Amino acid sequence: HAIESAYVGLWRGMLGFGHYALGLAAIATLAYQILVIFVVPQFAQILGEGIPRFSHLVFQAGLGAALLAALWLFVAWIFLSVLTARRAILLRAWPVLFSRIGLLRGAVTRHRALLHAWTAGALLDAGVAPAAALDGARDTVADWTRIDGTRLDAESDRALLDGAASVGTLRDELQHRLASELADAPLALAARRERLALYAGIFTALLVVPLLVAMYLMFFRIAATV
């Protein structure tokens, strides 16, 4: 419940970002279709064989369609990343593929460390010895998230936890990690959402600019022939 309370508002924001990218893709696709169906054929009749090579490449040889396909793949990647990361953080499923290549893989990795700290704390509260509690937490979380236990030890800084156990402060360290993650991770996710919105705008611009350049090249060619 604490995790859901911390993250649920941000997931709505991330979905809003996904819809923003979806809107950009829809507008770009509509503009491209209007150009290809209504505008480019008229220019082709006027210019004949004199269509600029780049314009021909974009509108007639398939480069524009390929750019739009890449944009739609980007949109699909955004939605799959957000939805699968949400399922992982709310413990409904652990998407191995998108925890590695998704846009929010950093948030999923941090959440794995939170799961480790929570599990180790629960085992300590149940009376398990510190070393056994850390081992049990590692094995449980590694099995759930389907990664190697050695990698999880590295992510959770096992050496530091073993040091805390040796001086009797392991419980305090685990509680500190839980509190810090619940406070800091949503803020980090909010900052990442803003960066992703900027990247989506730049990525869309890089796909739309070639369409505009190809269009204006035909304008300039017609103007030069008048």
Side-chain angles (χ1 to χ4, degrees):
H1 291 299
I3 294 170
E4 187 163 3
S5 297
Y7 279 91
V8 66
L10 288 168
W11 291 124
R12 295 193 182 101
M14 292 302 299
L15 284 176
F17 157 66
H19 285 98
Y20 163 73
L22 178 63
L24 291 178
I27 292 172
T29 301
L30 179 62
Y32 177 78
Q33 293 300 325
I34 290 174
L35 289 175
V36 169
I37 295 174
F38 298 106
V39 180
V40 174
Q42 300 297 324
F43 286 171
Q45 289 180 0
I46 296 173
L47 294 173
E49 298 297 326
I51 293 180
R53 183 175 299 177
F54 184 72
S55 300
H56 173 78
L57 181 65
V58 171
F59 292 114
Q60 296 176 327
L63 177 60
L67 292 174
L68 287 175
L71 180 57
W72 281 104
L73 286 175
F74 177 65
V75 171
W77 185 37
I78 291 171
F79 276 98
L80 284 173
S81 296
V82 173
L83 294 175
T84 54
R86 185 179 189 275
R87 288 175 61 83
I89 288 180
L90 297 183
L91 304 182
R92 295 171 184 168
W94 194 269
V96 176
L97 178 62
F98 274 84
S99 68
R100 295 175 180 170
I101 67 171
L103 285 168
L104 301 179
R105 58 187 178 276
V108 174
T109 299
R110 292 185 61 166
H111 190 65
R112 186 161 45 218
L114 182 146
L115 288 178
H116 178 270
W118 183 87
T119 305
L123 291 173
L124 282 178
D125 292 338
V128 178
L134 292 175
D135 288 341
R138 177 197 61 204
D139 295 340
T140 299
V141 176
D143 181 66
W144 163 248
T145 60
R146 286 171 282 178
I147 67 167
D148 183 74
T150 303
R151 178 182 168 188
L152 183 58
D153 279 340
E155 290 180 357
S156 60
D157 198 352
R158 177 62 185 268
L160 176 63
L161 294 177
D162 285 334
S166 65
V167 297
T169 60
L170 178 59
R171 191 184 306 275
D172 293 336
E173 174 64 25
L174 295 174
Q175 290 175 348
H176 172 72
R177 289 191 176 193
L178 288 172
S180 297
E181 184 66 16
L182 287 177
D184 296 342
L187 296 177
L189 185 59
R192 183 166 180 77
R193 179 187 64 192
E194 299 303 320
R195 292 195 299 271
L196 289 176
L198 175 62
Y199 297 156
I202 294 173
F203 186 67
T204 304
L206 292 175
L207 295 175
V208 172
V209 164
L211 303 181
L212 297 177
V213 171
M215 195 69 219
Y216 277 104
L217 285 176
M218 289 192 290
F219 281 136
F220 296 152
R221 183 63 60 85
I222 291 175
T225 60
V226 173

